[in-house]
Amino acid sequence: MGFGDNTAPPSRALCMPSLFSSKTQRSPLLLAWLTALWLGTLCNWPLWKALLALPETGSPRGLLFMLAFAGIITGVLASILSLAAWRRVIKPVAALLLISAAAGAHFMGTYGVVIDDTMIVNVLQTDARETRDLLSLRMLVTLVLLAGLPAVYLWRTSLASLGFGRQLLRNLVGVLLGLALAVALLMACFADMASTMRNHKSLRYLINPLNSYYALGQVAFKKSSKPRGPPQIVAADAVLAARPDGRKPPLLLLVVGETARAMNFSLNGYARATNPELAKLDVLSFRDVTSCGTSTAASLPCMFSHLGREQYGNSKEVHQENLLDALQRAGLAVLWLDNQSGCKGICERVPNAMAHIAASGAPTLPEALCNGPECLDGALLHGLDQRLEALPAERRAKGVVLVLHQMGSHGPAYYKRSPADLKPFQPECKTNVLQQCDPQQLVNAYDNSIVYADHVLAQAIAWLQQKTSGFDPTLLYLSDHGESLGENNLYLHGMPYAFAPREQTHIPMVLWLPGTGSAIDRGCMRAKLEQPLSHDHLFHSVLGLLGVQASIYKADRDFFAGCKQGQ
């Protein structure tokens, strides 16, 4: 080539294959390992954040352990993805893992939650209203960075076709190498791994996205092993005891709160006036009550079961009837009224309705209460007279149980749970990205939701007071679980019960009895305000309160026991 030749030699950079070139054909196995590396490192940032907060990792040895941990996760993921390292399979499988890992990283990192089978059930049962409250710009950014960018590279990469035999051999080698890497690193740091996992069990639920798919598998297994057909009958012998002469039929308004924590009730000593209306009504507030679970999906079925938390959690046979079935079998009129994402199967065999659908004959729901299917809890009381009258007359004559399932203080959009005229604590947090809120503004928004719950309960009591001529009314309110508001960098709820903070399990329980004519002795109940109670007591206490006799009834779980007039 002479000096006058204008043809330049090809650039060495252009001759070398580029890892990021969309024109260069890649092995599906390489794509599988690159995806595993991305998932095992960047998509597990909530795990690394949790590990860095531990005193055990504040040394060079701790940092080496974290690197080994990342290598173990990467090796396991690479081994799994190697099984899918086929030309037409790897891209959709990798994309699915990236999206699920990005979503998991967002929720674990933003709210401090962990992902187990209970959390998966919550996700599967979440309605559109709750889903909207979880969407945010931060979530979009996380999805774009952790899933969108690598997904673009995935789909732009051309994959080589090696033939079935060669690709199978390579994939098997990839599986073995991934397992070998994971096992070698685990053996190298086994002592540190065993100690860390033993002392901080919640870390296992942060291994992303393996935690999500393991939990999903648990849910699928439980569902597949659930007996087919109708549920097992509970309290088959339930009957109403004879009512004393002159005693009116009972009317129980059982209000199931949502995400309310006892420590934010001024009735329980909280410094702020979050219960201004109930405080004037001489209600009884039980101060040491514990929930069955830390989420609606776990607590609601458990609290209406006769089994109790420990037996319910360990029982493989939970396809059983519940409290509402027993009450209906005894002859009482039962109605479940819902302002949330459903009753989790509890109300399937009793009359039930949604709060945003007005009762027959009742006025149209005002816009101040409902915006389409999204309603404030005041909608539960709208048309309650018409709903009561629609129940069978022969059952009403024996007694009525109305269950109101509130939206309560459901987060993260706490500011949506109270109307503009009932927000005494200002300024309040008005975003669902709770970590971006000033801590006091976050508490303000939450406390405003408690003030509104107080207002709704006071209105419910006023309605009951109008029914004293025909019924013996009682209101019992208790929440399904509590809530974390940033304590220990935890938000929302749903932590595994074994290490859930008290904020998520310590719940309020409030009882209202009429001033005169009640079958329950108020003074006797007042003496029990400090007694440790739990959701385990609900089934048996309601049977006892309403005079339902059944062999399944346990007097030691009836917190009304010994307090009935004439006992």
Side-chain angles (χ1 to χ4, degrees), residues 116-126 130 219 222 256-259 291-305 312-313 318 336 340-346 405 410 480-481 493-494 535:
D116 61 353
D117 56 335
T118 301
M119 187 62 69
I120 292 295
V121 172
N122 290 334
V123 172
L124 296 176
Q125 295 181 353
T126 297
E130 294 174 345
V219 172
K222 290 178 181 178
V256 180
E258 167 66 34
T259 320
S291 67
C292 240
T294 62
S295 68
T296 304
S299 275
L300 211 56
C302 179
M303 67 192 287
F304 279 83
S305 168
Y312 185 88
V318 294
W336 178 284
Q340 234 213 85
S341 57
C343 65
K344 316 305 179 189
I346 297 170
H405 186 203
H410 197 287
D480 60 349
H481 55 80
H493 51 267
H535 279 163

Side-chain angles (χ1 to χ4, degrees), residues 317-335:
E317 178 59 65
V318 294
H319 188 48
Q320 299 177 338
E321 292 182 344
N322 58 71
L323 173 62
L324 303 187
D325 297 294
L327 299 177
Q328 184 166 257
R329 180 170 294 112
L332 296 166
V334 180
L335 173 66

Side-chain angles (χ1 to χ4, degrees), residues 401-471:
V401 179
L402 302 177
V403 185
L404 308 184
H405 186 203
Q406 294 184 324
M407 191 63 170
S409 302
H410 197 287
Y414 304 117
Y415 66 96
K416 292 184 178 181
R417 309 297 170 233
S418 57
D421 59 341
L422 277 176
K423 292 181 181 290
F425 306 113
Q426 295 292 337
E428 67 174 359
C429 171
K430 291 190 175 182
T431 176
N432 55 5
V433 185
L434 302 182
Q435 287 180 324
Q436 295 180 358
C437 277
D438 175 82
Q440 188 57 58
Q441 293 183 19
L442 173 58
V443 173
N444 287 347
Y446 182 84
D447 283 350
N448 286 336
S449 73
I450 300 296
V451 170
Y452 182 60
D454 174 83
H455 173 71
V456 172
L457 291 175
Q459 286 187 316
I461 291 171
W463 181 80
L464 286 174
Q465 289 172 328
Q466 299 172 8
K467 305 301 175 186
T468 54
S469 60
F471 293 96

Side-chain angles (χ1 to χ4, degrees), residues 284-289 509 511 520-533 537 541 555-564 567:
L284 302 175
S285 182
F286 298 82
R287 299 184 178 92
D288 189 9
V289 187
M509 186 170 83
L511 174 68
I520 304 299
D521 186 315
R522 176 188 296 273
C524 178
M525 293 304 299
R526 190 178 295 278
K528 298 186 177 186
L529 296 184
E530 305 295 339
Q531 178 181 331
L533 298 170
H537 293 82
S541 298
D556 61 337
R557 289 189 177 180
D558 178 1
F559 53 72
F560 293 109
C563 291
K564 285 194 173 182
Q567 283 186 338

Side-chain angles (χ1 to χ4, degrees), residues 176-248:
L176 293 176
L177 285 176
L179 290 177
L181 173 65
V183 171
L185 290 173
L186 178 60
M187 296 304 296
C189 67
F190 183 79
D192 291 333
M193 178 69 75
S195 175
T196 302
M197 288 303 178
R198 183 174 58 250
N199 296 327
H200 308 283
K201 295 180 180 179
S202 62
L203 291 176
R204 71 187 67 176
Y205 300 106
L206 296 176
I207 302 174
N208 191 27
L210 297 174
N211 54 353
S212 299
Y213 289 97
Y214 177 74
L216 189 61
Q218 285 185 304
V219 172
F221 175 77
K222 290 178 181 178
K223 186 174 182 179
S224 65
S225 61
K226 182 178 180 180
R228 298 183 181 275
Q232 179 182 334
I233 293 176
V234 167
D237 57 347
V239 294
L240 283 173
R243 222 168 36 240
D245 292 340
R247 179 67 64 188
K248 290 172 283 191

